[in-house]
Amino acid sequence: MSHQYRDRIRALERRADEIAADFDPDPPDEERAMNILRRGVGPTVSLYCEARTGGQWVRFDEAAFDRLEATLNQWLGLYAACYGVELDGTYSVRTAAELLVDTHDVRDVVTVLTGVPDR
């Protein structure tokens, strides 16, 4: 796996950690939720899509894949907290990527995965 992807995973991970460090949700906070989608969930899922569909198929080593998936789940947890929901369980970055290919909308992806906000 190229250093480019490792560095991008680290950057997404750091950004999620920074937001989580001083995160104090006041649900419902639609604006903050959309910001989390734009700055975190979308780029995380897009990185996976790019690695799998770009000019060269990138294979993530186990540690990098685990970090990418953990980062996605951290972003999803922050998103859900904007609606006063605590997520139970983890979500697959591959499933999120497949949903993004089908829907072309990161908000739809998150709603299908997590059920947040209630439909």
Side-chain angles (χ1 to χ4, degrees):
M1 177 179 60
S2 76
H3 291 289
Q4 169 194 2
Y5 286 100
R6 268 193 208 99
D7 293 345
R8 288 172 61 194
I9 292 169
R10 280 190 199 109
L12 288 163
E13 193 174 41
R14 278 193 306 270
R15 189 181 310 155
D17 288 343
E18 289 168 6
I19 288 176
D22 60 337
F23 191 77
D24 185 19
D26 185 18
D29 192 339
E30 180 83 18
E31 185 177 329
R32 182 178 278 178
M34 293 307 296
N35 188 42
I36 287 169
L37 291 179
R38 281 190 299 275
R39 294 190 65 214
V41 177
T44 303
V45 176
S46 293
L47 184 145
Y48 180 84
C49 288
E50 178 186 320
R52 295 297 197 232
T53 62
Q56 185 176 16
W57 196 81
V58 175
R59 179 166 178 81
F60 294 100
D61 61 46
E62 186 176 341
F65 184 80
D66 289 348
R67 285 182 37 234
L68 182 64
E69 202 152 80
T71 300
L72 171 66
N73 281 282
Q74 183 174 12
W75 283 116
L76 292 173
L78 291 167
Y79 171 84
C82 292
Y83 293 97
V85 175
E86 189 171 324
L87 296 178
D88 219 14
T90 59
Y91 301 89
S92 159
V93 69
R94 180 176 183 211
T95 301
E98 290 169 349
L99 287 167
L100 185 61
V101 168
D102 290 343
T103 65
H104 304 284
D105 186 315
V106 71
R107 186 171 189 181
D108 288 345
V109 168
V110 172
T111 302
V112 169
L113 280 177
T114 66
V116 177
D118 287 335
R119 292 181 180 205

